Amino acid sequence: MITQKDAKIISHLRNNARKKITNIATDLNIPATTIYDKLRVHEKKFINKHTTLLNFQNLGLHAKAHLSIKVERNSKEDLQKFLLDNPNVNSLYRTNFGSDFLAEVVFKNTAQVGNLVENLEDYFKAQVQVFNVIEELKKESFLTDPAHFELMKS
């Protein structure tokens, strides 16, 4: 179980993973050495990856879409490998209840998204539903507030 102190530390990191340990220590009134020790434990137990969230539009990548993909059982492994190797696939999930994969893709324009969908349909005989992302309203905000950890208790 996560302590209130741990929740506060993790929340600070979820809001800004580059925040200095000394600043977190000052904000929480906890010794920096305690924070450092807890971070080492948390990194092994809770943290999968340190990363940077990009603004793709500012990089000239104006088409973001989520693809729900269903494919025949004998093609799942090949499709998964194709999607894992595709540089335009930002995130990939195995799903159930009507689809096999959910892929978040990023391209310069919607025509390129369409080309990928056509390739999936033609080569893998996949059924693809496209959900173009018009505006990102919220991203990576769960557990950014220590109060969110209370939701895990119920």
Side-chain angles (χ1 to χ4, degrees):
M1 194 45 128
I2 293 178
T3 67
Q4 186 66 22
K5 188 185 295 185
D6 290 335
K8 289 177 180 179
I9 293 168
I10 292 170
S11 295
H12 271 271
L13 294 173
R14 289 284 291 156
N15 280 299
N16 181 359
R18 294 187 56 155
K19 191 170 188 178
K20 293 181 180 182
I21 291 175
T22 52
N23 293 346
I24 296 172
T26 301
D27 289 351
L28 299 179
N29 198 27
I30 299 172
T33 54
T34 301
I35 302 231
Y36 182 81
D37 292 342
K38 287 194 169 285
L39 284 177
R40 292 297 152 245
V41 171
H42 294 333
E43 281 185 332
K44 292 177 184 167
K45 193 171 185 179
F46 304 122
I47 298 171
N48 286 334
K49 178 180 179 180
H50 296 280
T51 189
T52 299
L53 298 178
L54 297 173
N55 183 324
F56 293 116
Q57 285 195 337
N58 288 350
L59 292 169
L61 301 165
H62 298 287
K64 184 193 288 187
H66 290 222
L67 308 179
S68 174
I69 308 165
K70 182 169 181 61
V71 68
E72 294 296 322
R73 182 173 293 177
N74 60 351
S75 298
K76 281 184 191 178
E77 193 174 307
D78 290 338
L79 175 59
Q80 180 175 318
K81 183 178 178 349
F82 173 80
L83 293 169
L84 286 169
D85 291 343
N86 189 306
N88 294 94
V89 175
N90 188 46
S91 298
L92 180 64
Y93 309 92
R94 283 190 43 226
T95 59
N96 60 3
F97 295 113
S99 68
D100 298 304
F101 299 99
L102 178 65
E104 177 191 49
V105 298
V106 182
F107 286 95
K108 287 184 180 180
N109 57 57
T110 56
Q112 292 175 328
V113 175
N115 289 339
L116 173 64
V117 170
E118 284 181 30
N119 288 338
L120 295 174
E121 291 171 339
D122 292 345
Y123 186 78
F124 294 100
K125 306 299 181 223
Q127 297 172 14
V128 183
Q129 280 188 287
V130 179
F131 301 91
N132 290 307
V133 176
I134 306 302
E135 179 182 8
E136 193 171 272
L137 301 174
K138 184 175 181 179
K139 179 145 182 136
E140 291 296 327
S141 67
F142 185 59
L143 302 182
T144 56
D145 183 328
H148 296 166
F149 287 86
E150 295 299 317
L151 299 171
M152 296 170 47
K153 292 181 180 177
S154 32

